[in-house]
């Protein structure tokens, strides 16, 4: 939460676990129309840019007609993988976020982005949380991964070390790519809720696209205020699940002792080489 420049949302009447009632009836006609526009535009990009598992989950949700009622969507999701949706006023502290995932509950922000930030916004809104994250919760492997992630999160919080785990979430849940027989596809929620970053992450030749390597992901800092400089590519969701389950804890000690690297750097043996003109650092410093 401390990273985000301006927290929005009404946190006044929420429960201790940050949940609120969605009050689906209070959305305006204009907000529903904005949802339909966002949805129609992004749905057009899925065939070319999104992983099939994501497309399947979107079809199961069938939420194109307007801002979804979370209780209805939650019942449909629970029947499939046991995940439920809860409404929250916006970004919530990592401890609470992980605790929800550990209980197979996904927090969904209750407000929708403004007309002036349709292509990209820094904070998660209901379009990002619902359209971006919920479809893959219909996929059994990813559904289990997200709960495992929550369990690791609770453990990391007890160790006071969630920074490294958040990188894993950031790169592999928010901005992950996957290699398929039909080429490179996006599955990360952070890309697939942003039309601009969806295209950028697959088509643009400026970002690095690296094979998934858990240790490198754990060491690499990320941006919260712009498209990513580096995307990691999975061979399968099972690969992510197995690596996290088996290697996160043992690697954790090692990574703690190594210097962190920025996305425009690569590690060759014991050397760290900065790619490009190092502009990432200036931009980062400016951010
Ligand atoms: C996992 C990591 O802590 C991540 O930044 C969390 C923090 N809090 C959040 N809070 C909400 N409501 N939604 C999110 O996606 C996140 N992401
Ligand atoms: N940038 C995403 C929203 C997002 C916020 C925070 C983390 C990841 C993604 C969008 O425009 O839809
Ligand atoms: Fe997200």
């Amino acid at each position: 939460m401390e990273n985000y420049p301006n927290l929005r949302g009404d946190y006044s009447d929420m429960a201790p676990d940050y949940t609120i009632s969605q009050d689906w009836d209070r959305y305006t006609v204009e907000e529903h129309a904005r949802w339909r526009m966002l949805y129609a535009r992004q749905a057009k990009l899925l065939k070319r840019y999104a992983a099939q598992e994501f497309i399947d989950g979107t079809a199961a949700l069938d939420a194109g007609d307007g801002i979804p009622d979370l209780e209805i969507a939650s019942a449909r999701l629970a029947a499939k993988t046991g995940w439920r949706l809860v409404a929250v006023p916006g970004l919530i502290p990592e401890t609470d976020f992980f605790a929800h995932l550990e209980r197979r509950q996904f927090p969904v922000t209750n407000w929708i982005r403004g007309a002036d930030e349709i292509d990209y916004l820094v904070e998660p809104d209901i379009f990002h949380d619902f359209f971006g994250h919920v479809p893959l919760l219909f996929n059994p492997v990813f559904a289990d991964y997200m709960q495992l992630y929550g369990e690791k999160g609770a453990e990391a919080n007890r160790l006071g070390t969630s920074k490294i785990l958040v990188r894993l979430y950031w790169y592999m849940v928010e901005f992950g790519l996957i290699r398929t027989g039909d080429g490179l596809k996006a599955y990360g929620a952070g890309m697939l809720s942003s039309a601009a970053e969806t295209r950028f992450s697959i088509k643009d030749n400026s970002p690095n696209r690296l094979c998934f390597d858990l240790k490198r992901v754990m060491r690499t800092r990320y941006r919260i205020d712009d498209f990513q400089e580096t995307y990691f590519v999975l061979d399968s969701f099972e690969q992510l699940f197995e690596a996290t389950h088996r290697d996160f804890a043992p690697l954790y000690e090692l990574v703690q002792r190594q210097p962190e690297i920025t996305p425009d750097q690569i590690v060759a043996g014991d050397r760290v080489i900065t790619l490009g003109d190092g502009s990432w650092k200036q931009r980062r410093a400016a951010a």
Side-chain angles (χ1 to χ4, degrees):
M1 274 178 77
E2 65 288 344
N3 284 340
Y4 286 86
N6 58 336
L7 272 186
R8 297 188 229 178
D10 174 6
Y11 289 72
S12 55
D13 66 342
M14 64 193 173
D17 64 357
Y18 281 78
T19 51
I20 55 172
S21 61
Q22 181 187 10
D23 284 346
W24 185 81
D25 300 325
R26 75 173 167 70
Y27 292 116
T28 65
V29 169
E30 199 274 331
E31 286 174 319
H32 283 294
R34 203 174 315 144
W35 172 278
R36 281 197 298 278
M37 188 278 287
L38 275 164
Y39 190 99
R41 219 177 45 144
Q42 203 55 21
K44 273 211 290 281
L45 298 178
L46 296 187
K47 183 136 184 52
R48 173 165 179 203
Y49 295 108
Q52 190 56 45
E53 293 83 351
F54 185 93
I55 295 172
D56 297 345
T58 306
L61 279 168
D62 187 25
D65 295 344
I67 296 176
D69 181 328
L70 297 182
E71 280 176 24
I72 297 172
S74 189
R76 194 173 295 177
L77 176 61
K80 188 79 173 53
T81 58
W83 272 85
R84 291 202 161 279
L85 306 177
V86 288
V88 292
L91 275 171
I92 62 176
E94 284 164 10
T95 319
D96 303 87
F97 184 74
F98 291 142
H100 281 297
L101 298 190
E102 200 180 10
R103 293 199 307 270
R104 275 179 112 89
Q105 274 185 184
F106 193 79
V108 179
T109 298
N110 71 332
W111 52 263
I112 187 164
R113 65 187 72 189
D116 59 341
E117 49 195 350
I118 286 294
D119 280 342
Y120 176 90
L121 83 167
V122 178
E123 277 179 275
D125 70 330
I126 190 165
F127 188 72
H128 165 71
D129 281 337
F130 190 96
F131 185 92
H133 282 285
V134 180
L136 277 185
L137 293 177
F138 279 85
N139 172 276
V141 175
F142 208 83
D144 287 349
Y145 176 72
M146 288 293 277
Q147 183 171 26
L148 169 71
Y149 187 86
E151 289 157 9
K152 294 274 177 214
E155 187 189 316
N157 271 313
R158 279 192 291 279
L159 300 170
T161 56
S162 60
K163 182 177 80 165
I164 289 186
L165 196 78
V166 171
R167 287 176 184 157
L168 183 59
Y169 185 87
W170 195 268
Y171 278 113
M172 301 324 291
V173 176
E174 295 289 3
F175 293 101
L177 294 171
I178 188 163
R179 190 174 286 105
T180 75
D182 188 17
L184 213 48
K185 297 289 182 184
Y187 71 84
M191 305 138 148
L192 289 169
S193 63
S194 156
E197 190 154 7
T198 296
R199 290 194 186 88
F200 175 79
S201 68
I202 300 277
K203 276 200 326 186
D204 203 285
N205 59 15
S206 62
N208 302 321
R209 293 181 186 88
L210 306 175
C211 288
F212 172 69
D213 167 339
L214 184 63
K215 183 150 57 82
R216 185 195 160 95
V217 171
M218 291 164 71
R219 290 185 65 182
T220 306
R221 285 171 50 192
Y222 55 85
R223 303 195 64 96
I224 65 146
D225 55 357
D226 198 345
F227 296 170
Q228 299 306 309
E229 303 273 328
T230 292
Y231 297 103
F232 289 92
V233 183
L234 285 179
D235 291 322
S236 70
F237 294 132
E238 287 79 3
Q239 179 194 19
L240 176 62
F241 186 96
E242 280 147 25
T244 306
H245 203 57
R246 188 188 56 230
D247 305 336
F248 182 80
L251 279 174
Y252 186 75
E253 299 313 318
L254 172 70
V255 168
Q256 273 278 76
R257 290 192 301 274
Q258 294 175 320
E260 60 184 31
I261 48 183
T262 52
D264 58 353
Q265 291 176 322
I266 56 171
V267 177
D270 56 357
R271 288 170 55 231
V272 176
I273 302 160
T274 297
L275 304 170
D277 57 4
S279 63
W280 188 84
K281 285 194 188 60
Q282 281 120 32
R283 282 165 66 192
R284 176 82 181 157

